[in-house]
Amino acid sequence: MAVLNEEQTMLKDMVSQWVRDRMPVGVARGLYDHSGGGRKDATTGFDADAYAEVAAMGWSGILVPEAHGGSDFGAFSLGFVLEELARALSPLPLLSSAMVAVSALRLGGNAAQQSAWLPGLADGSIIGALAVDEGAHHLPDILALTATRAENGWRLDGIKRPVADGMGAGLFIVAARGDDGTALFLVPADAAGLTREPLDQIDARRPALLRFDGVVLGDDAMLGQGDALLSAILDRAYVGQAAELLGLATQAFETTLEYLKTRVQFGQLIGSFQALQHRASEMFGELQLTRSAVEAALVAIDADDPQLPSLASLAKAIANETAHRITCEMVQLHGGIGMTHEHDAGLYLKRSRVAEQAYGSSSFHRERWARLNGY
Amino acid sequence: MEDQQFRQEVRDWLSANFPPALTGVNGLIFQGDAHAAAANADFQVWRKAMADKGWGTPTWDKAYGGAGLSAAQAKIIAQELSAIGAFNPIRSYGTMMLGPTLLEFGTEEQRLQHLPRISTHELRWCQGFSEPGAGSDLASLQMKCVDAGDHWVVSGQKIWTSGADQADWCFALVRTDTSVKHGGISFLLIDMTSPGVEARPIVLISGSTHFCEVFFNDVKVPKGNLVGAVNQGWNIAKRLLQFERSSLSEVKTDVTPLAPIAHAMLGTDAEGRIADADARARIVHNAMRHAAYLQTVRRFNEEARNGGPGNGVSTLKNLWSNIVQRRAELLVEVLGADGLGWSGDAYPADAREATRALLHSKAFSIYGGSYEIQNNITAKRSLGLPDR
Ligand SMILES: Cc1cc2nc3c(=O)[nH]c(=O)nc-3n(C[C@H](O)[C@H](O)[C@H](O)COP(=O)(O)OP(=O)(O)OC[C@H]3O[C@@H](n4cnc5c(N)ncnc54)[C@H](O)[C@@H]3O)c2cc1C
C-alpha cells in the first residue's frame, strides 16, 4: 500500500470499519436465490439503503468538486474505497456513479450540465451509469447505437447491454455513433422511448439491457464528441474496475490463506504442504504486481499524467489476470466445500469473471497497451 | 528546493567527470572482471573520480570513504547516473553485502580497516558461503575454523564463489562448533593472499568463468578478523543475505525494449505491429509484467523509506528472476537462428551477447537463495504458513 496522508488514513479506516459492520459478504450473498442465480424479486442488483449510507458519508462525492457538493479528495482516495468495498463484494454502484459518471461530467460537461447533475451524484440522490457496451465484448471503437440529427437536437436508436447498475440509475451517459463519429449524451432514465430490463448475470448484480427507440434529446444533452473524450472516461473506468478487482483478489487470497491454516489432512495443516505454500507465495507476488499497477494508475489520474491510457490498461490487464488466478485457486484449495453455493469461493469466482469482462478483458487491454507502446 | 539544488550539483559534476566513452556501457563487466577493469583507462578515471567524491557509497560516513549523504540524495545520484547512461563504478560485493554488514555488526576498527577500501573499489571481495554439501541448506556448512591461541586456522572447501580468483579478500562462513548446527557458525574475513588459499575457476554454461571452487589448507587468520562474536555468524549471514537479495532485485531496471528487435526480426503487419501474433502476445505479456515489476520496486522502496512492511525482498527477487528470465528467453527466440551462435562474425555481436545473457540468466533463480527457497521464505515470513 502506498503511503497515505492523515485524511486518507482516516478515510481508509472508516471504510474498513463500515465494511466489517455493515457490509459482510453476506450482503452480496443476499442478492442470490438458493439455486445460485439472481433473486427474482431483486430488481436493482445493489443495496440502495447501503448506498444512501455511503453517500451520507461522502464517498459518492470523492471526485466531485467542492462547489458541487463533493470533497474533491481525488481518484487515489476513491480507489482505495472501491478496493475496500470490493473485498466484501459490496453490491454498490459506487464505481458506476462516483467514478465513471462523475468523471464523464468533469471531463466533458459544461457548467450547466455539471450544475444539473454533479450535486445529485455527490449526495447519492441520483445514480449515474455509463452505457457503452452493446454486445458480447467491450469494443468502444465500434458502436452501433446511432445518434442522428433531429430538430433542435438528437435522436438515439439502438441497444446497450450489459449496463452495470443500470436498473437503479437515474442518469445514463450514453456513447453513440453520430455522423461525425463518437458522441456522448446525458440521458435521464425516464426519457421517452427508453426502456430497460434486468439481466440475470452470474454475480446476481442485475445489469440492465437498455433499448433506445427514437429517444429524442435536446442539444443541451450532448456531453461531447470524439473518441478522446470517451477514452478519457473509460480510462477512469478501467482503473476503478481494476481497484475493485484488487480488493476482490486480496480478500479471496486472505480467505484461502486462512483455510490453509485451519484445514487438517494427513494429520497436518494443509498449509504446511510445500506444494501449496509455493502456490500461495506466487499468488502473493502477483498481488504485489497488481497493487503497484493499480496504485500507479490511480496516481496518474490525479496527476493528469499523459501516460494514463497505458497505465490504465496495464492495471486492468494485470488485475484481471490476478483475480482470475486467485479465484480459481480459491475454489481448488478449498476442495469440495469450495464448489458449494454455501461457501463464499463461488461468489468471488462469479463476481471476478464479471469484473474481468467489464470494461475490457485481459486481451483487450494487452492489445491496447501493445499499440500504445509500439509493439 | 534543496533537492533541486543538489540535483543540479550532481548533474554539473557528472558532466565534468563521467568519461563519455563509457556511456551506455554495462558496469557489471568491470564489476565481474578485474582484468577488464584494470585494462580500461576510462574506467579507472571514472572509478577514481567517484572514489574521491565518495559517491559510490554516498550514505556512508566520510570516515569510511562515503559522502555522508541522505538516502534521498543517494537516490538523486542514482537517478542522475541512470539518466545519462552512466553506472556506479564502485558497486561490488563489498558495497552491496559486506559494507552494510560491517556497518551493523563490525567493530570500529574493522570498519576503518575495510570500508574505505571498499568505497574506492581498490580491493575486491568474494562471498565464501556455499560448500559442496551446503547450498540451500547453507547452515550445514563444514569448513573448519579452529582457535590456535593467537590466530585461527581454517581448513575446508568453498564452491560457486563468484570472482574468487580475482578477489583480494573473502567474507566467509566457518564452523567454530561442530556440536550444533546454526549456533556453531562464525563470520570471518580472510585475506585471499594468505598461504594455503587456492581458487580454481569453473566454466559456466555461458562460457564465462564467473565462479570458482576455493580450497583452504590450514590457512592462518588473525583473531581480529572475526565479525561479531564466535558462533554468532548465522544471524549476521541472514542479514547479509537480505542485503544481497534486495540488491539483486534492483539491478538493471532499464532494459532495452524488445519491440524494435521483434519488428526487425519478425516483420510487421499492415498496422505496424509485430507480424508473428503468437510471439507478439507473449512478448507483450512479459513487457507488461516487467512494467508492473518496476512499479513494484518503486513502491517497495517508497514504503521502506516510510517505515513500511519491508518483508517483500523474497517476493521481489522471485518476481524479478521470473520476469527477467522469461524476457531473456523471448529475446533469443525472436533472434531465431541468429540467437544460437556461440562465436564467429556470422552472428551479430548483439545477438551473441543476448545468447550468453540468456544462459547466464538461469543463475538468477539459483544464487542468492533459489526460487524455491524464496517461496519457502515468503510462505513462512510474509504469509505465516505453518510447518506442520
Ligand atoms: C552464478 C552463481 C554465482 C554464485 N555465487 C556464489 C558466491 O559468490 N558465493 C556463494 O557462497 N555462493 C554462490 N553461489 C551458490 C548459490 O548460492 C547456490 O548455488 C544456491 O544456494 C543453491 O545451492 P546448491 O547449488 O547447492 O543447490 P541445492 O541446494 O542442492 O538445490 C538443488 C535444487 O533443489 C531445490 N531445493 C533445495 N532445498 C529445497 C527446499 N527446502 N525446498 C524446495 N526446493 C529445494 C533448489 O531450489 C534447487 O532447485 C552462486 C551460484 C551461482 C549459480
Side-chain angles (χ1 to χ4, degrees), chain A residues 1 261 274 278 281-282 286 288 292-293 321 367 371 374-375, chain B residues 263 271 273 280 285 289 295-296 299 303 371 375-376 383 386:
Chain A
M1 185 77 204
K261 293 176 187 176
Q274 195 183 52
H278 285 194
S281 295
E282 287 179 1
E286 297 303 306
Q288 299 309 318
S292 314
E321 285 175 31
E367 179 62 30
R371 285 172 185 264
Y375 290 83
Chain B
H263 286 147
E271 293 180 67
R273 302 181 298 177
R280 175 174 181 265
H285 192 236
R289 290 176 62 75
Q295 292 173 330
T296 305
R299 180 166 67 85
E303 287 173 8
Y371 189 83
N375 270 344
N376 287 348
L383 306 180

PDB file of all heavy atoms in Angstrom, chain A residues 1 261 274 278 281-282 286 288 292-293 321 367 371 374-375, chain B residues 263 271 273 280 285 289 295-296 299 303 371 375-376 383 386:
ATOM      1  N   MET A   1       0.842  -1.204   0.000  1.00  0.00           N
ATOM      2  CA  MET A   1       0.000   0.000   0.000  1.00  0.00           C
ATOM      3  C   MET A   1       0.869   1.242   0.000  1.00  0.00           C
ATOM      4  O   MET A   1       1.814   1.345   0.771  1.00  0.00           O
ATOM      5  CB  MET A   1      -0.857  -0.041   1.273  1.00  0.00           C
ATOM      6  CG  MET A   1      -1.877   1.075   1.380  1.00  0.00           C
ATOM      7  SD  MET A   1      -3.315   0.774   0.326  1.00  0.00           S
ATOM      8  CE  MET A   1      -3.902   2.428   0.098  1.00  0.00           C
ATOM      9  N   LYS A 261      -4.508 -22.543   6.912  1.00  0.00           N
ATOM     10  CA  LYS A 261      -4.011 -22.561   8.289  1.00  0.00           C
ATOM     11  C   LYS A 261      -4.947 -23.272   9.246  1.00  0.00           C
ATOM     12  O   LYS A 261      -4.668 -23.339  10.450  1.00  0.00           O
ATOM     13  CB  LYS A 261      -3.786 -21.122   8.778  1.00  0.00           C
ATOM     14  CG  LYS A 261      -2.668 -20.409   8.043  1.00  0.00           C
ATOM     15  CD  LYS A 261      -2.549 -18.956   8.511  1.00  0.00           C
ATOM     16  CE  LYS A 261      -1.551 -18.212   7.654  1.00  0.00           C
ATOM     17  NZ  LYS A 261      -1.471 -16.791   8.017  1.00  0.00           N
ATOM     18  N   GLN A 274       4.378 -28.123   1.033  1.00  0.00           N
ATOM     19  CA  GLN A 274       5.173 -27.161   0.273  1.00  0.00           C
ATOM     20  C   GLN A 274       4.533 -26.812  -1.079  1.00  0.00           C
ATOM     21  O   GLN A 274       4.616 -25.674  -1.538  1.00  0.00           O
ATOM     22  CB  GLN A 274       6.585 -27.686   0.060  1.00  0.00           C
ATOM     23  CG  GLN A 274       7.535 -26.596  -0.380  1.00  0.00           C
ATOM     24  CD  GLN A 274       8.911 -27.132  -0.665  1.00  0.00           C
ATOM     25  OE1 GLN A 274       9.078 -28.077  -1.423  1.00  0.00           O
ATOM     26  NE2 GLN A 274       9.900 -26.525  -0.047  1.00  0.00           N
ATOM     27  N   HIS A 278       4.017 -22.884  -1.973  1.00  0.00           N
ATOM     28  CA  HIS A 278       4.598 -22.190  -3.124  1.00  0.00           C
ATOM     29  C   HIS A 278       3.521 -21.539  -3.987  1.00  0.00           C
ATOM     30  O   HIS A 278       3.718 -20.445  -4.518  1.00  0.00           O
ATOM     31  CB  HIS A 278       5.452 -23.150  -3.950  1.00  0.00           C
ATOM     32  CG  HIS A 278       6.765 -23.440  -3.278  1.00  0.00           C
ATOM     33  ND1 HIS A 278       7.812 -24.040  -3.910  1.00  0.00           N
ATOM     34  CD2 HIS A 278       7.182 -23.204  -2.013  1.00  0.00           C
ATOM     35  CE1 HIS A 278       8.831 -24.145  -3.060  1.00  0.00           C
ATOM     36  NE2 HIS A 278       8.464 -23.664  -1.897  1.00  0.00           N
ATOM     37  N   SER A 281       2.717 -18.405  -2.165  1.00  0.00           N
ATOM     38  CA  SER A 281       3.768 -17.385  -2.316  1.00  0.00           C
ATOM     39  C   SER A 281       3.668 -16.720  -3.680  1.00  0.00           C
ATOM     40  O   SER A 281       3.880 -15.513  -3.814  1.00  0.00           O
ATOM     41  CB  SER A 281       5.158 -18.010  -2.156  1.00  0.00           C
ATOM     42  OG  SER A 281       5.319 -18.491  -0.847  1.00  0.00           O
ATOM     43  N   GLU A 282       3.376 -17.511  -4.696  1.00  0.00           N
ATOM     44  CA  GLU A 282       3.286 -16.927  -6.042  1.00  0.00           C
ATOM     45  C   GLU A 282       2.049 -16.033  -6.179  1.00  0.00           C
ATOM     46  O   GLU A 282       2.116 -14.962  -6.791  1.00  0.00           O
ATOM     47  CB  GLU A 282       3.306 -18.023  -7.103  1.00  0.00           C
ATOM     48  CG  GLU A 282       4.712 -18.578  -7.204  1.00  0.00           C
ATOM     49  CD  GLU A 282       4.879 -19.690  -8.214  1.00  0.00           C
ATOM     50  OE1 GLU A 282       3.895 -20.046  -8.878  1.00  0.00           O
ATOM     51  OE2 GLU A 282       6.017 -20.181  -8.326  1.00  0.00           O
ATOM     52  N   GLU A 286       1.905 -12.063  -7.272  1.00  0.00           N
ATOM     53  CA  GLU A 286       1.021 -11.478  -8.293  1.00  0.00           C
ATOM     54  C   GLU A 286       0.200 -10.333  -7.696  1.00  0.00           C
ATOM     55  O   GLU A 286      -0.061  -9.321  -8.354  1.00  0.00           O
ATOM     56  CB  GLU A 286       0.088 -12.534  -8.880  1.00  0.00           C
ATOM     57  CG  GLU A 286       0.806 -13.671  -9.614  1.00  0.00           C
ATOM     58  CD  GLU A 286       1.700 -13.179 -10.741  1.00  0.00           C
ATOM     59  OE1 GLU A 286       1.203 -12.441 -11.600  1.00  0.00           O
ATOM     60  OE2 GLU A 286       2.888 -13.523 -10.747  1.00  0.00           O
ATOM     61  N   GLN A 288       1.196  -8.364  -5.411  1.00  0.00           N
ATOM     62  CA  GLN A 288       2.086  -7.200  -5.293  1.00  0.00           C
ATOM     63  C   GLN A 288       2.154  -6.447  -6.619  1.00  0.00           C
ATOM     64  O   GLN A 288       2.066  -5.223  -6.656  1.00  0.00           O
ATOM     65  CB  GLN A 288       3.497  -7.621  -4.853  1.00  0.00           C
ATOM     66  CG  GLN A 288       3.564  -8.307  -3.497  1.00  0.00           C
ATOM     67  CD  GLN A 288       2.859  -7.522  -2.425  1.00  0.00           C
ATOM     68  OE1 GLN A 288       2.977  -6.293  -2.347  1.00  0.00           O
ATOM     69  NE2 GLN A 288       2.094  -8.199  -1.595  1.00  0.00           N
ATOM     70  N   SER A 292       0.735  -2.550  -7.237  1.00  0.00           N
ATOM     71  CA  SER A 292       1.606  -1.491  -7.783  1.00  0.00           C
ATOM     72  C   SER A 292       0.975  -0.876  -9.028  1.00  0.00           C
ATOM     73  O   SER A 292       0.969   0.347  -9.191  1.00  0.00           O
ATOM     74  CB  SER A 292       2.979  -2.062  -8.157  1.00  0.00           C
ATOM     75  OG  SER A 292       3.473  -2.875  -7.136  1.00  0.00           O
ATOM     76  N   ALA A 293       0.447  -1.739  -9.907  1.00  0.00           N
ATOM     77  CA  ALA A 293      -0.104  -1.238 -11.167  1.00  0.00           C
ATOM     78  C   ALA A 293      -1.350  -0.392 -10.911  1.00  0.00           C
ATOM     79  O   ALA A 293      -1.547   0.655 -11.530  1.00  0.00           O
ATOM     80  CB  ALA A 293      -0.418  -2.401 -12.107  1.00  0.00           C
ATOM     81  N   GLU A 321      -5.939 -10.714 -14.607  1.00  0.00           N
ATOM     82  CA  GLU A 321      -5.229 -11.990 -14.539  1.00  0.00           C
ATOM     83  C   GLU A 321      -5.079 -12.474 -13.109  1.00  0.00           C
ATOM     84  O   GLU A 321      -5.233 -13.660 -12.813  1.00  0.00           O
ATOM     85  CB  GLU A 321      -3.834 -11.853 -15.147  1.00  0.00           C
ATOM     86  CG  GLU A 321      -3.865 -11.788 -16.645  1.00  0.00           C
ATOM     87  CD  GLU A 321      -2.478 -11.538 -17.217  1.00  0.00           C
ATOM     88  OE1 GLU A 321      -1.481 -11.965 -16.606  1.00  0.00           O
ATOM     89  OE2 GLU A 321      -2.404 -10.901 -18.272  1.00  0.00           O
ATOM     90  N   GLU A 367      -3.825  -5.736 -25.863  1.00  0.00           N
ATOM     91  CA  GLU A 367      -3.748  -5.187 -27.220  1.00  0.00           C
ATOM     92  C   GLU A 367      -3.636  -3.653 -27.171  1.00  0.00           C
ATOM     93  O   GLU A 367      -2.824  -3.052 -27.875  1.00  0.00           O
ATOM     94  CB  GLU A 367      -4.988  -5.605 -28.025  1.00  0.00           C
ATOM     95  CG  GLU A 367      -5.033  -5.088 -29.446  1.00  0.00           C
ATOM     96  CD  GLU A 367      -3.885  -5.591 -30.322  1.00  0.00           C
ATOM     97  OE1 GLU A 367      -3.390  -6.727 -30.071  1.00  0.00           O
ATOM     98  OE2 GLU A 367      -3.465  -4.851 -31.232  1.00  0.00           O
ATOM     99  N   ARG A 371      -0.416  -1.485 -28.502  1.00  0.00           N
ATOM    100  CA  ARG A 371      -0.463  -0.429 -29.515  1.00  0.00           C
ATOM    101  C   ARG A 371       0.096   0.878 -28.963  1.00  0.00           C
ATOM    102  O   ARG A 371       0.836   1.581 -29.643  1.00  0.00           O
ATOM    103  CB  ARG A 371      -1.900  -0.200 -29.992  1.00  0.00           C
ATOM    104  CG  ARG A 371      -2.401  -1.306 -30.916  1.00  0.00           C
ATOM    105  CD  ARG A 371      -3.881  -1.118 -31.194  1.00  0.00           C
ATOM    106  NE  ARG A 371      -4.430  -2.218 -31.976  1.00  0.00           N
ATOM    107  CZ  ARG A 371      -4.567  -2.204 -33.308  1.00  0.00           C
ATOM    108  NH1 ARG A 371      -4.218  -1.153 -33.996  1.00  0.00           N
ATOM    109  NH2 ARG A 371      -5.073  -3.251 -33.920  1.00  0.00           N
ATOM    110  N   GLY A 374       3.967   0.666 -28.895  1.00  0.00           N
ATOM    111  CA  GLY A 374       4.745   0.375 -30.097  1.00  0.00           C
ATOM    112  C   GLY A 374       5.096  -1.077 -30.327  1.00  0.00           C
ATOM    113  O   GLY A 374       6.098  -1.386 -30.963  1.00  0.00           O
ATOM    114  N   TYR A 375       4.297  -2.011 -29.824  1.00  0.00           N
ATOM    115  CA  TYR A 375       4.530  -3.413 -30.148  1.00  0.00           C
ATOM    116  C   TYR A 375       3.707  -3.821 -31.354  1.00  0.00           C
ATOM    117  O   TYR A 375       3.456  -4.887 -31.642  1.00  0.00           O
ATOM    118  CB  TYR A 375       4.214  -4.307 -28.936  1.00  0.00           C
ATOM    119  CG  TYR A 375       5.217  -4.161 -27.820  1.00  0.00           C
ATOM    120  CD1 TYR A 375       5.103  -3.118 -26.908  1.00  0.00           C
ATOM    121  CD2 TYR A 375       6.282  -5.047 -27.687  1.00  0.00           C
ATOM    122  CE1 TYR A 375       6.029  -2.957 -25.894  1.00  0.00           C
ATOM    123  CE2 TYR A 375       7.207  -4.908 -26.668  1.00  0.00           C
ATOM    124  CZ  TYR A 375       7.077  -3.858 -25.770  1.00  0.00           C
ATOM    125  OH  TYR A 375       7.991  -3.717 -24.755  1.00  0.00           O
TER     126      TYR A 375
ATOM    127  N   HIS B 263      10.333  -6.204 -34.283  1.00  0.00           N
ATOM    128  CA  HIS B 263       9.936  -5.647 -35.586  1.00  0.00           C
ATOM    129  C   HIS B 263      10.942  -6.046 -36.654  1.00  0.00           C
ATOM    130  O   HIS B 263      10.585  -6.477 -37.749  1.00  0.00           O
ATOM    131  CB  HIS B 263       9.844  -4.111 -35.524  1.00  0.00           C
ATOM    132  CG  HIS B 263       8.639  -3.623 -34.795  1.00  0.00           C
ATOM    133  ND1 HIS B 263       8.645  -2.460 -34.058  1.00  0.00           N
ATOM    134  CD2 HIS B 263       7.411  -4.125 -34.655  1.00  0.00           C
ATOM    135  CE1 HIS B 263       7.457  -2.267 -33.515  1.00  0.00           C
ATOM    136  NE2 HIS B 263       6.693  -3.282 -33.864  1.00  0.00           N
ATOM    137  N   GLU B 271      -0.542  -2.760 -39.923  1.00  0.00           N
ATOM    138  CA  GLU B 271      -0.719  -1.713 -38.912  1.00  0.00           C
ATOM    139  C   GLU B 271       0.559  -1.429 -38.128  1.00  0.00           C
ATOM    140  O   GLU B 271       0.515  -0.746 -37.104  1.00  0.00           O
ATOM    141  CB  GLU B 271      -1.834  -2.120 -37.941  1.00  0.00           C
ATOM    142  CG  GLU B 271      -3.198  -2.171 -38.606  1.00  0.00           C
ATOM    143  CD  GLU B 271      -4.280  -2.566 -37.616  1.00  0.00           C
ATOM    144  OE1 GLU B 271      -4.552  -1.775 -36.695  1.00  0.00           O
ATOM    145  OE2 GLU B 271      -4.834  -3.677 -37.756  1.00  0.00           O
ATOM    146  N   ARG B 273       2.337  -3.601 -36.479  1.00  0.00           N
ATOM    147  CA  ARG B 273       2.501  -4.448 -35.299  1.00  0.00           C
ATOM    148  C   ARG B 273       3.444  -5.609 -35.604  1.00  0.00           C
ATOM    149  O   ARG B 273       3.597  -5.997 -36.766  1.00  0.00           O
ATOM    150  CB  ARG B 273       1.141  -4.998 -34.850  1.00  0.00           C
ATOM    151  CG  ARG B 273       0.130  -3.906 -34.545  1.00  0.00           C
ATOM    152  CD  ARG B 273      -1.192  -4.470 -34.083  1.00  0.00           C
ATOM    153  NE  ARG B 273      -1.822  -5.292 -35.099  1.00  0.00           N
ATOM    154  CZ  ARG B 273      -2.964  -5.945 -34.916  1.00  0.00           C
ATOM    155  NH1 ARG B 273      -3.573  -5.878 -33.753  1.00  0.00           N
ATOM    156  NH2 ARG B 273      -3.486  -6.655 -35.883  1.00  0.00           N
ATOM    157  N   ARG B 280       4.139 -12.038 -30.532  1.00  0.00           N
ATOM    158  CA  ARG B 280       3.783 -10.695 -30.060  1.00  0.00           C
ATOM    159  C   ARG B 280       3.016 -10.765 -28.746  1.00  0.00           C
ATOM    160  O   ARG B 280       3.310 -10.029 -27.800  1.00  0.00           O
ATOM    161  CB  ARG B 280       2.946  -9.980 -31.119  1.00  0.00           C
ATOM    162  CG  ARG B 280       2.420  -8.608 -30.689  1.00  0.00           C
ATOM    163  CD  ARG B 280       1.739  -7.921 -31.867  1.00  0.00           C
ATOM    164  NE  ARG B 280       1.250  -6.611 -31.536  1.00  0.00           N
ATOM    165  CZ  ARG B 280      -0.013  -6.353 -31.139  1.00  0.00           C
ATOM    166  NH1 ARG B 280      -0.883  -7.350 -31.016  1.00  0.00           N
ATOM    167  NH2 ARG B 280      -0.384  -5.129 -30.863  1.00  0.00           N
ATOM    168  N   HIS B 285       2.899  -9.653 -23.071  1.00  0.00           N
ATOM    169  CA  HIS B 285       2.577 -10.125 -21.727  1.00  0.00           C
ATOM    170  C   HIS B 285       3.770  -9.944 -20.790  1.00  0.00           C
ATOM    171  O   HIS B 285       3.659  -9.408 -19.688  1.00  0.00           O
ATOM    172  CB  HIS B 285       2.173 -11.600 -21.799  1.00  0.00           C
ATOM    173  CG  HIS B 285       1.550 -12.103 -20.548  1.00  0.00           C
ATOM    174  ND1 HIS B 285       2.029 -13.186 -19.859  1.00  0.00           N
ATOM    175  CD2 HIS B 285       0.503 -11.662 -19.834  1.00  0.00           C
ATOM    176  CE1 HIS B 285       1.298 -13.385 -18.790  1.00  0.00           C
ATOM    177  NE2 HIS B 285       0.356 -12.473 -18.749  1.00  0.00           N
ATOM    178  N   ARG B 289       4.304  -7.313 -17.546  1.00  0.00           N
ATOM    179  CA  ARG B 289       4.711  -7.774 -16.209  1.00  0.00           C
ATOM    180  C   ARG B 289       5.990  -7.053 -15.781  1.00  0.00           C
ATOM    181  O   ARG B 289       6.156  -6.705 -14.609  1.00  0.00           O
ATOM    182  CB  ARG B 289       4.898  -9.293 -16.193  1.00  0.00           C
ATOM    183  CG  ARG B 289       3.586 -10.041 -16.319  1.00  0.00           C
ATOM    184  CD  ARG B 289       3.789 -11.538 -16.394  1.00  0.00           C
ATOM    185  NE  ARG B 289       4.398 -12.121 -15.216  1.00  0.00           N
ATOM    186  CZ  ARG B 289       3.779 -12.322 -14.055  1.00  0.00           C
ATOM    187  NH1 ARG B 289       2.526 -11.968 -13.923  1.00  0.00           N
ATOM    188  NH2 ARG B 289       4.406 -12.859 -13.040  1.00  0.00           N
ATOM    189  N   GLN B 295       7.210  -0.912 -11.248  1.00  0.00           N
ATOM    190  CA  GLN B 295       6.333  -0.153 -10.351  1.00  0.00           C
ATOM    191  C   GLN B 295       6.408  -0.715  -8.934  1.00  0.00           C
ATOM    192  O   GLN B 295       6.339   0.022  -7.946  1.00  0.00           O
ATOM    193  CB  GLN B 295       4.878  -0.224 -10.851  1.00  0.00           C
ATOM    194  CG  GLN B 295       4.635   0.514 -12.158  1.00  0.00           C
ATOM    195  CD  GLN B 295       3.228   0.265 -12.705  1.00  0.00           C
ATOM    196  OE1 GLN B 295       2.634  -0.789 -12.481  1.00  0.00           O
ATOM    197  NE2 GLN B 295       2.693   1.231 -13.433  1.00  0.00           N
ATOM    198  N   THR B 296       6.550  -2.032  -8.849  1.00  0.00           N
ATOM    199  CA  THR B 296       6.618  -2.667  -7.531  1.00  0.00           C
ATOM    200  C   THR B 296       7.915  -2.320  -6.806  1.00  0.00           C
ATOM    201  O   THR B 296       7.910  -2.064  -5.598  1.00  0.00           O
ATOM    202  CB  THR B 296       6.455  -4.195  -7.681  1.00  0.00           C
ATOM    203  OG1 THR B 296       5.242  -4.454  -8.397  1.00  0.00           O
ATOM    204  CG2 THR B 296       6.399  -4.876  -6.326  1.00  0.00           C
ATOM    205  N   ARG B 299       7.434   1.082  -5.512  1.00  0.00           N
ATOM    206  CA  ARG B 299       6.501   1.112  -4.388  1.00  0.00           C
ATOM    207  C   ARG B 299       7.161   0.570  -3.116  1.00  0.00           C
ATOM    208  O   ARG B 299       7.029   1.165  -2.038  1.00  0.00           O
ATOM    209  CB  ARG B 299       5.250   0.287  -4.723  1.00  0.00           C
ATOM    210  CG  ARG B 299       4.227   0.257  -3.602  1.00  0.00           C
ATOM    211  CD  ARG B 299       2.883  -0.260  -4.088  1.00  0.00           C
ATOM    212  NE  ARG B 299       2.899  -1.657  -4.464  1.00  0.00           N
ATOM    213  CZ  ARG B 299       2.741  -2.675  -3.609  1.00  0.00           C
ATOM    214  NH1 ARG B 299       2.582  -2.428  -2.321  1.00  0.00           N
ATOM    215  NH2 ARG B 299       2.753  -3.923  -4.024  1.00  0.00           N
ATOM    216  N   GLU B 303       7.713   2.572   0.324  1.00  0.00           N
ATOM    217  CA  GLU B 303       7.156   2.088   1.590  1.00  0.00           C
ATOM    218  C   GLU B 303       8.258   1.888   2.636  1.00  0.00           C
ATOM    219  O   GLU B 303       8.085   2.202   3.801  1.00  0.00           O
ATOM    220  CB  GLU B 303       6.398   0.769   1.364  1.00  0.00           C
ATOM    221  CG  GLU B 303       5.079   0.982   0.647  1.00  0.00           C
ATOM    222  CD  GLU B 303       4.390  -0.328   0.266  1.00  0.00           C
ATOM    223  OE1 GLU B 303       4.865  -1.413   0.689  1.00  0.00           O
ATOM    224  OE2 GLU B 303       3.384  -0.265  -0.449  1.00  0.00           O
ATOM    225  N   TYR B 371      14.842 -19.926  -6.224  1.00  0.00           N
ATOM    226  CA  TYR B 371      13.420 -19.571  -6.374  1.00  0.00           C
ATOM    227  C   TYR B 371      12.573 -20.317  -5.337  1.00  0.00           C
ATOM    228  O   TYR B 371      11.706 -19.740  -4.683  1.00  0.00           O
ATOM    229  CB  TYR B 371      12.970 -19.960  -7.796  1.00  0.00           C
ATOM    230  CG  TYR B 371      11.601 -19.482  -8.177  1.00  0.00           C
ATOM    231  CD1 TYR B 371      11.407 -18.188  -8.638  1.00  0.00           C
ATOM    232  CD2 TYR B 371      10.494 -20.320  -8.077  1.00  0.00           C
ATOM    233  CE1 TYR B 371      10.139 -17.738  -8.999  1.00  0.00           C
ATOM    234  CE2 TYR B 371       9.223 -19.874  -8.429  1.00  0.00           C
ATOM    235  CZ  TYR B 371       9.056 -18.587  -8.891  1.00  0.00           C
ATOM    236  OH  TYR B 371       7.806 -18.137  -9.235  1.00  0.00           O
ATOM    237  N   ASN B 375      10.405 -18.870  -2.146  1.00  0.00           N
ATOM    238  CA  ASN B 375       8.987 -19.186  -1.935  1.00  0.00           C
ATOM    239  C   ASN B 375       8.749 -19.741  -0.537  1.00  0.00           C
ATOM    240  O   ASN B 375       7.734 -19.446   0.099  1.00  0.00           O
ATOM    241  CB  ASN B 375       8.492 -20.184  -2.991  1.00  0.00           C
ATOM    242  CG  ASN B 375       7.942 -19.489  -4.230  1.00  0.00           C
ATOM    243  OD1 ASN B 375       7.655 -18.302  -4.197  1.00  0.00           O
ATOM    244  ND2 ASN B 375       7.807 -20.234  -5.304  1.00  0.00           N
ATOM    245  N   ASN B 376       9.694 -20.554  -0.060  1.00  0.00           N
ATOM    246  CA  ASN B 376       9.579 -21.051   1.323  1.00  0.00           C
ATOM    247  C   ASN B 376       9.583 -19.879   2.309  1.00  0.00           C
ATOM    248  O   ASN B 376       8.797 -19.832   3.252  1.00  0.00           O
ATOM    249  CB  ASN B 376      10.761 -21.972   1.673  1.00  0.00           C
ATOM    250  CG  ASN B 376      10.667 -23.328   0.993  1.00  0.00           C
ATOM    251  OD1 ASN B 376       9.631 -23.681   0.431  1.00  0.00           O
ATOM    252  ND2 ASN B 376      11.756 -24.080   1.029  1.00  0.00           N
ATOM    253  N   LEU B 383       3.527 -14.851   4.903  1.00  0.00           N
ATOM    254  CA  LEU B 383       2.173 -15.407   4.920  1.00  0.00           C
ATOM    255  C   LEU B 383       1.873 -16.192   6.192  1.00  0.00           C
ATOM    256  O   LEU B 383       0.730 -16.580   6.425  1.00  0.00           O
ATOM    257  CB  LEU B 383       1.952 -16.299   3.695  1.00  0.00           C
ATOM    258  CG  LEU B 383       2.241 -15.638   2.348  1.00  0.00           C
ATOM    259  CD1 LEU B 383       1.994 -16.607   1.198  1.00  0.00           C
ATOM    260  CD2 LEU B 383       1.388 -14.387   2.169  1.00  0.00           C
ATOM    261  N   PRO B 386       2.123 -22.620   8.235  1.00  0.00           N
ATOM    262  CA  PRO B 386       2.673 -23.456   9.309  1.00  0.00           C
ATOM    263  C   PRO B 386       3.729 -24.472   8.836  1.00  0.00           C
ATOM    264  O   PRO B 386       3.830 -24.744   7.641  1.00  0.00           O
ATOM    265  CB  PRO B 386       1.439 -24.206   9.818  1.00  0.00           C
ATOM    266  CG  PRO B 386       0.540 -24.289   8.625  1.00  0.00           C
ATOM    267  CD  PRO B 386       0.769 -23.041   7.843  1.00  0.00           C
TER     268      PRO B 386
END
